[in-house]
């Protein structure tokens, strides 16, 4: 395994060097290309004035005493002679233009998805223009260059002048259609528009002359223009209306034609939006959410320590033989024959797979669990009868000398590094010593339980560390709830990178139960807002939404934005249930039921997996569960719906299930100093201005039963009332955004609006009801108050 590790590392380094340029190198290379393009332009322009004088110096380039007349001396003379005379003539100016664009792309750090397309079209235009100059300026070969002149001469030998002209016309049409979206309809529309405009101008001019003549004849007659009466009230139009009397007959339109026109219009609008999105992607590239922290560096593997034995698992052959013989002997005492037995050695536990002889009932072996444990003098064994997918019975026996599974070995494994998952988590290693990696986005929520000191906090650190090593700060945000106040405090250093919190919260790590309730309800609001965005974008989940946003098919002016994954981590759930009860359980259950599609995932840990803590509603929505060692079979059934967790040996030994099979794992060990080094490494880098803000949530204790006097109202009360009534949405966050106020002041204004009868009372996660229908009704209400 060590050899595999040594092979994989150089490959990744080599790949990074060959495919990526640093920002500094891009700026240097870009400036070089821009200056080179300017130099070539000067030398090409100078060539047409100095080429005759410099012709004799082309063979004496190495002689320093000779000087050329070109603006760039001998370099300019040689370069322009090669590109202009031997190349494409005047068309060669396309080349420095392309070089300049490439340099600007690199210098400004623009994504270069549309750059290759510009080079391809540049060379097509270069060749066509050179041949065209050779055809039309045949007597001056210097304009077309040697290539254009010879290619034109070659084509004329086979197709004649008419053939070359037709080929040039075809090339022109090809360039106009493919590059400028030229179509014959546009020419027809253009000429029709011009003809119609000329006709209307001529008609207006004629009418103006007629009116002017009538005005000069009937100068003393008063002119009355009344748009609300009939034409007969206008004196100078009476005669015209009598002579040219027309009756307007309404024509009934076919509803089928209207429907077809509406459908065609919708299809055209969609096609237009699609074309706009494609052009944006071609010009600017896909939207990159990581661009704001473009220089962010992921934590290095050196920040993690190599615990235990570095060379893998040490095999104790003597222990294997002794355990095998004792198992065979114990089963033989109960007249159970074994046809075959083999051992799979893991870091903590060895799995002995046995194939019983024909006719032996599995239940007999299952009932001998305690007898086998007695004969092996083991801390606790676990019998799997049968092993899913195999025709064998498994007996898991703890190793006398357990091997520590370090987080470093798990993170460095190719299985984790190459994991194509949305939220990859490396838990540890299986009995067969394979790295175990799962996707949190597919779980979609995780329930973790175990007695005190059995590895829950280390398991949570392993989950968070896995995501920190794999995801950019723009892609995932954590909400950390730590009632114990000491387990998750290290992550304060990455607050402005990876953490999310309420707008009025000072600390990102939530330790107060009241703030936990507000945060959970705020997450429910965030969930509803995200579902609205998915609905308007016509997609089903966050992955499709972000993919559509990256390809610039969603307009940010319509409220669309890139949505990061949100991972809620609660370290001690039992304490919250004891103190808050239904106030916590209800939003947790709601999030667990609905939040999967919009990228909000929950990880809940508890040391007391009793039925009053892990209720049926919670269990139903947490198919993925981890059980560390528990004290009783009842607790094991509560969390796993099966026995086994009471027979684990502790110190990170755990069972994982995702709704089907139960897998035994040794959790990866990550120590507190390692977490401190990782957070210090991330926290020392450039960060966002503040932590990711969740939507505002005002608890019931913030509702208003206070009567505000009119003179005590905020100076912005009237403006805030107009904003609320116009939007018909009663929330403090709307006032914050529109009037650019702070959270506390916006909350006070909402209280005053409620006291004034403009908005309704607090309704939990829902927005307050607006009781005033429009601005006119608001003016009446406020005027009555002042009177």
């Amino acid at each position: 395994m060590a050899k595999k590790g040594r092979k994989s590392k150089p490959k990744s380094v080599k790949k990074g060097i060959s495919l990526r340029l640093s920002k500094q190198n891009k700026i240097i290379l870009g400036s070089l290309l821009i200056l080179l393009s300017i130099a070539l332009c000067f030398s090409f322009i100078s060539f047409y004035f100095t080429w005759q004088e410099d012709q004799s110096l082309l063979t004496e380039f190495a002689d320093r005493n000779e000087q050329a007349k070109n603006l760039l001396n001998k370099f300019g003379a040689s370069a322009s002679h090669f590109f202009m005379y031997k190349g494409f003539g005047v068309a060669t100016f396309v080349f420095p233009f392309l070089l300049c664009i490439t340099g600007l792309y690199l210098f400004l750090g623009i994504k270069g998805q549309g750059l290759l397309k510009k080079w391809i079209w540049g060379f097509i235009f270069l060749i066509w223009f050179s041949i065209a100059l050779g055809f039309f300026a045949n007597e001056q070969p210097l304009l077309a260059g040697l290539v254009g002149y010879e290619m034109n001469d070659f084509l004329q030998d086979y197709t004649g002048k008419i053939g070359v002209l037709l080929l040039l016309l075809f090339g022109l049409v090809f360039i106009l259609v493919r590059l400028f979206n030229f179509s014959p309809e546009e020419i027809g529309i253009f000429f029709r528009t011009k003809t119609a405009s000329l006709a209307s101008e001529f008609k207006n001019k004629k009418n103006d002359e007629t009116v002017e003549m009538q005005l000069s004849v009937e100068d003393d007659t008063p002119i009355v223009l009344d748009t609300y009466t009939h034409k007969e009230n206008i004196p100078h139009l009476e005669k015209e209306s009598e002579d040219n009397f027309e009756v307007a007959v309404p024509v009934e339109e076919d509803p089928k034609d209207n429907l077809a026109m509406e459908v065609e219009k919708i299809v055209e609008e969609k096609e237009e939006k699609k074309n706009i999105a494609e052009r944006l992607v071609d010009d600017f590239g896909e939207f990159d959410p990581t661009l704001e922290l473009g220089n962010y560096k992921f934590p290095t593997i050196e920040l993690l320590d190599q615990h235990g034995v570095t060379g893998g698992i040490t095999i104790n052959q003597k222990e294997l033989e002794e355990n095998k013989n004792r198992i065979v002997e114990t089963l033989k005492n109960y007249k159970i024959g074994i046809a075959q037995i083999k051992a799979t050695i893991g870091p903590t536990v060895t799995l002995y797979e046995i194939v019983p002889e024909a006719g032996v009932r599995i239940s007999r072996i299952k009932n001998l669990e305690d007898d086998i444990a007695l004969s092996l003098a083991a801390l606790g064994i676990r019998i799997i009868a049968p092993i899913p997918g195999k025709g064998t019975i498994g007996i898991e026996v703890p190793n006398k000398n357990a091997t520590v599974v370090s987080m470093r070995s798990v993170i460095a494994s190719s299985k984790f590094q190459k994991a194509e998952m949305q939220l990859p988590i490396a838990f540890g290693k299986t009995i067969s010593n394979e790295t175990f990696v799962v996707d949190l986005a597919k779980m979609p929520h995780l329930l973790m339980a175990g007695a005190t000191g059995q590895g829950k906090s280390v398991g949570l650190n392993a989950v968070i560390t896995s995501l920190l090593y794999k995801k950019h700060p723009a892609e995932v945000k954590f909400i950390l709830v730590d009632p114990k106040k000491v387990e998750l405090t290290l992550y304060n250093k990455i607050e402005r990178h990876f953490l999310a919190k309420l707008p009025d919260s000072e600390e990102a790590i939530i330790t107060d139960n009241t703030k936990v309730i507000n945060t959970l309800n705020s997450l429910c609001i965030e969930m509803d807002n995200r579902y609205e965005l998915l609905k308007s974008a016509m997609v089903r989940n966050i992955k499709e939404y972000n993919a559509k946003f990256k390809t610039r098919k969603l307009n940010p002016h319509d409220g669309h934005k890139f949505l990061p994954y949100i991972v809620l981590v609660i370290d001690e759930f039992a304490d919250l249930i004891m103190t808050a009860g239904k106030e916590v359980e209800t939003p947790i259950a709601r999030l667990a039921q609905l939040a999967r599609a919009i990228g909000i995932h929950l990880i809940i840990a508890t040391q007391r997996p009793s039925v009053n803590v892990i209720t049926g509603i919670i269990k139903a929505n947490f198919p993925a569960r981890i059980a560390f060692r528990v004290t009783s079979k009842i607790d094991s059934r509560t969390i796993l719906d099966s026995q086994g967790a009471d027979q684990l040996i502790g110190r990170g030994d755990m069972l994982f299930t995702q709704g089907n099979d139960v897998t035994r794992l040794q959790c990866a060990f990550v120590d507190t100093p390692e977490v401190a080094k990782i957070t210090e490494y991330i926290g020392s880098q450039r960060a966002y201005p503040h932590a990711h803000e969740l939507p505002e949530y005002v608890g019931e204790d913030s509702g208003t039963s206070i009567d505000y006097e009119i003179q005590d109202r905020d100076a912005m009360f009237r403006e805030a009332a107009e904003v609320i009534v116009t939007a018909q949405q009663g929330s403090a966050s709307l006032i914050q955004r529109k009037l650019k106020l702070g959270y506390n002041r916006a909350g006070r204004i909402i209280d005053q609006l409620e006291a004034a009868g403009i908005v309704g009372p607090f309704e939990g996660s829902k927005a307050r009801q607006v009781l005033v229908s429009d601005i006119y009704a608001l003016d009446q209400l406020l005027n009555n108050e002042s009177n």
Side-chain angles (χ1 to χ4, degrees):
M1 288 186 68
K3 290 181 180 178
K4 288 182 181 177
R6 283 196 296 269
K7 285 180 182 177
S8 62
K9 191 169 182 179
K11 287 183 181 177
S12 63
V13 174
K14 186 176 179 182
K15 184 178 177 182
I17 292 172
S18 60
L19 295 180
R20 295 183 70 88
L21 281 173
S22 66
K23 186 177 180 181
Q24 291 85 353
N25 289 338
K26 284 182 179 179
I27 293 171
I28 293 169
L29 183 58
S31 60
L32 175 64
L33 292 178
I34 293 169
L35 295 174
L36 179 60
S37 66
I38 294 170
L40 289 175
C41 277
F42 278 115
S43 64
F44 291 168
I45 294 168
S46 178
F47 172 78
Y48 281 104
F49 300 98
T50 62
W51 69 275
Q52 290 178 334
E53 292 91 333
D54 295 340
Q55 193 75 21
S56 60
L57 298 176
L58 296 174
T59 57
E60 301 176 4
F61 190 84
D63 191 356
R64 294 182 61 180
N65 295 322
E66 297 291 338
Q67 298 294 317
K69 299 292 184 181
N70 194 285
L71 289 176
L72 270 79
N73 212 324
K74 284 186 283 188
F75 167 78
S78 300
S80 55
H81 178 78
F82 177 78
F83 283 104
M84 303 287 285
Y85 182 78
K86 291 186 176 181
F88 301 94
V90 176
T92 311
F93 280 97
V94 173
F95 185 66
F97 175 72
L98 292 173
L99 275 180
C100 185
I101 289 177
T102 307
L104 287 171
Y105 267 68
L106 292 170
F107 188 81
L108 300 175
I110 304 171
K111 293 276 184 178
Q113 282 88 341
L115 193 59
L116 180 61
K117 185 179 177 182
K118 288 181 175 61
W119 275 90
I120 292 171
W121 281 109
F123 275 110
I124 291 172
F125 181 75
L126 179 77
I127 294 168
W128 179 86
F129 191 42
S130 179
I131 297 172
L133 286 172
F135 180 79
F136 292 106
N138 196 17
E139 296 179 358
Q140 296 179 343
L142 208 62
L143 292 175
L146 197 60
V147 173
Y149 182 82
E150 291 295 337
M151 288 181 71
N152 175 66
D153 196 44
F154 173 79
L155 290 172
Q156 286 193 24
D157 287 343
Y158 285 92
T159 62
K161 286 193 174 184
I162 295 176
V164 175
L165 181 62
L166 294 175
L167 286 172
L168 288 172
L169 286 172
F170 172 73
L172 179 62
V173 170
F174 176 78
I175 292 170
L176 290 174
V177 170
R178 297 293 296 178
L179 191 58
F180 300 104
N181 294 324
F182 164 85
S183 64
E185 290 85 359
E186 291 179 358
I187 292 183
I189 292 168
F190 174 78
F191 280 112
R192 281 200 298 271
T193 307
K194 286 294 181 184
T195 307
S197 63
L198 287 171
S200 63
E201 284 179 13
F202 178 75
K203 188 176 179 181
N204 291 337
K205 187 176 180 183
K206 188 175 180 182
N207 290 338
D208 291 343
E209 289 176 357
T210 306
V211 171
E212 188 179 346
M213 206 180 312
Q214 289 177 352
L215 286 172
S216 59
V217 172
E218 304 175 5
D219 194 28
D220 18 345
T221 309
I223 300 173
V224 181
L225 296 176
D226 189 355
T227 56
Y228 295 97
T229 56
H230 296 288
K231 284 186 178 181
E232 50 264 22
N233 293 333
I234 305 174
H236 68 278
L237 293 179
E238 286 180 2
K239 188 176 180 182
E240 186 179 349
S241 62
E242 290 173 4
D243 296 338
N244 302 320
F245 182 73
E246 293 181 0
V247 179
V249 181
V251 180
E252 293 186 2
E253 297 182 355
D254 190 354
K256 291 183 180 178
D257 294 342
N258 289 338
L259 181 62
M261 289 174 66
E262 288 294 327
V263 171
E264 187 178 350
K265 187 177 179 182
I266 291 170
V267 171
E268 287 178 357
E269 287 177 357
K270 286 186 176 180
E271 287 294 326
E272 186 179 354
K273 287 181 180 178
K274 185 178 178 183
N275 292 335
I276 290 170
E278 288 176 355
R279 286 199 295 270
L280 284 172
V281 171
D282 287 341
D283 293 340
F284 301 104
E286 289 191 356
F287 173 77
D288 186 5
T290 65
L291 203 59
E292 191 173 348
L293 296 185
N295 294 327
Y296 174 78
K297 294 179 181 177
F298 287 85
T300 60
I301 199 70
E302 286 74 21
L303 298 172
L304 296 170
D305 297 332
Q306 184 69 62
H307 300 282
V309 183
T310 58
I313 297 173
T314 304
I315 300 173
N316 190 333
Q317 198 67 38
K318 183 180 177 182
E319 183 184 344
L320 286 175
E321 283 295 323
E322 286 178 359
N323 288 340
K324 185 189 76 171
N325 294 334
R326 284 173 182 171
I327 291 170
V328 172
E329 187 179 344
T330 303
L331 294 175
K332 192 183 288 183
N333 291 338
Y334 292 94
K335 297 180 181 179
I336 297 173
I338 297 175
Q340 184 183 347
I341 183 168
K342 68 173 184 176
T344 304
I345 306 164
T348 310
V349 175
T350 299
L351 173 66
Y352 294 89
E353 293 183 56
I354 62 173
V355 180
E357 290 180 348
V360 176
R361 296 180 66 182
I362 292 175
S363 59
R364 291 183 62 194
I365 300 175
K366 186 79 174 171
N367 293 333
L368 295 174
E369 193 170 66
D370 294 336
D371 299 282
I372 296 171
L374 179 64
S375 66
L376 294 172
L379 184 62
I381 69 166
R382 178 170 168 263
I383 294 180
I384 312 166
I387 296 176
K390 296 183 179 180
T392 58
I393 295 171
I395 301 174
E396 294 175 350
V397 181
N399 298 335
K400 289 182 180 178
N401 297 314
T403 304
V404 178
V405 176
S406 66
M407 196 69 199
R408 176 171 180 154
S409 64
V410 173
I411 294 291
S413 65
S414 60
K415 192 170 184 180
F416 178 75
Q417 293 294 332
K418 297 177 182 178
E420 296 293 331
M421 300 176 180
Q422 299 300 313
L423 296 172
I425 295 173
F427 278 121
K429 293 193 176 180
T430 62
I431 288 178
S432 57
N433 205 38
E434 294 179 359
T435 302
F436 189 78
V437 183
V438 290
D439 191 358
L440 178 62
K442 291 183 178 178
M443 286 186 188
H445 311 294
L446 177 64
L447 188 60
M448 194 181 291
T452 304
Q454 302 304 317
K456 291 189 310 300
S457 297
V458 174
L460 287 177
N461 284 331
V463 169
I464 297 172
T465 301
S466 299
L467 295 174
L468 292 180
Y469 266 89
K470 254 313 194 181
K471 307 306 288 184
H472 190 276
E475 298 172 321
V476 65
K477 301 294 179 184
F478 295 98
I479 300 173
L480 303 180
V481 179
D482 184 15
K484 289 190 269 186
K485 304 182 181 180
V486 293
E487 294 292 347
L488 302 175
T489 50
L490 286 171
Y491 297 103
N492 266 323
K493 297 176 184 175
I494 60 171
E495 175 183 337
R496 292 189 296 134
H497 291 87
F498 280 101
L499 301 190
K501 64 178 184 179
L502 291 171
D504 62 332
S505 180
E506 295 179 2
E507 295 183 359
I509 312 296
I510 304 165
T511 55
D512 184 16
N513 287 345
T514 306
K515 288 187 178 179
V516 174
I517 297 167
N518 291 346
T519 303
L520 292 175
N521 285 294
S522 173
L523 265 181
C524 291
I525 298 172
E526 174 72 13
M527 177 180 71
D528 295 335
N529 293 342
R530 288 190 173 199
Y531 268 116
E532 285 296 324
L533 291 176
L534 262 63
K535 178 184 173 184
S536 63
M538 291 183 290
V539 293
R540 295 178 61 190
N541 54 53
I542 187 174
K543 186 178 179 182
E544 294 176 8
Y545 178 89
N546 284 338
K548 205 168 183 179
F549 187 82
K550 285 181 180 178
T551 52
R552 302 183 186 275
K553 295 177 182 176
L554 301 175
N555 193 343
H557 294 292
D558 297 335
H560 292 291
K561 58 186 177 181
F562 181 82
L563 300 179
Y565 286 92
I566 296 177
V567 180
L568 170 65
V569 180
I570 301 177
D571 187 28
E572 187 44 71
F573 187 59
D575 184 65
L576 295 180
I577 292 293
M578 287 173 62
T579 54
K582 288 288 182 183
E583 289 182 290
V584 167
E585 186 183 347
T586 302
I588 285 281
R590 191 158 177 261
L591 288 168
Q593 289 168 351
L594 299 173
R596 173 182 182 176
I598 43 85
I600 298 177
H601 303 281
L602 315 181
I603 300 174
I604 294 176
T606 180
Q607 63 181 350
R608 203 182 68 190
S610 54
V611 290
N612 61 332
V613 174
I614 304 173
T615 60
I617 296 175
I618 291 175
K619 280 182 67 176
N621 294 290
F622 282 78
R625 300 171 200 165
I626 287 177
F628 292 92
R629 188 168 183 265
V630 293
T631 54
S632 67
K633 289 182 171 62
I634 297 172
D635 288 347
S636 178
R637 288 197 191 98
T638 303
I639 183 152
L640 292 176
D641 296 325
S642 64
Q643 298 180 17
D646 55 311
Q647 296 164 330
L648 300 174
I649 61 173
R651 294 179 61 85
D653 190 18
M654 71 184 204
L655 297 175
F656 173 81
T657 180
Q658 206 166 345
N660 37 34
D661 302 334
V662 178
T663 307
R664 190 166 186 174
L665 305 169
Q666 177 61 40
C667 183
F669 178 65
V670 53
D671 205 359
T672 304
E674 296 174 72
V675 177
K677 284 191 284 185
I678 293 169
T679 55
E680 185 68 36
Y681 181 84
I682 295 172
S684 63
Q685 300 184 51
R686 179 175 170 267
Y688 294 107
H690 47 74
H692 183 78
E693 286 193 354
L694 298 171
E696 173 216 354
Y697 175 80
V698 181
E700 291 184 7
D701 55 344
S702 300
T704 69
S705 57
I706 305 169
D707 291 330
Y708 284 89
E709 297 292 337
I710 294 177
Q711 60 269 21
D712 294 335
R713 286 176 180 172
D714 193 280
M716 301 289 285
F717 175 83
R718 177 83 183 211
E719 289 86 343
E722 290 176 356
V723 167
I724 292 293
V725 172
T726 303
Q728 286 294 302
Q729 180 185 344
S731 69
S733 60
L734 179 66
I735 296 174
Q736 279 184 271
R737 292 196 306 274
K738 294 292 185 182
L739 302 181
K740 298 179 181 178
L741 302 179
Y743 172 76
N744 294 326
R745 187 178 180 186
R748 285 195 300 272
I749 293 176
I750 279 287
D751 294 345
Q752 294 167 9
L753 290 171
E754 182 185 345
I758 296 171
V759 298
F762 174 78
E763 297 182 20
S765 61
K766 294 181 182 178
R768 293 172 183 258
Q769 184 181 359
V770 181
L771 304 176
V772 179
S773 59
D774 51 30
I775 296 293
Y776 178 72
L778 175 66
D779 290 338
Q780 281 189 325
L781 176 67
L782 297 179
N783 289 336
N784 291 337
E785 283 184 348
S786 59
N787 293 334

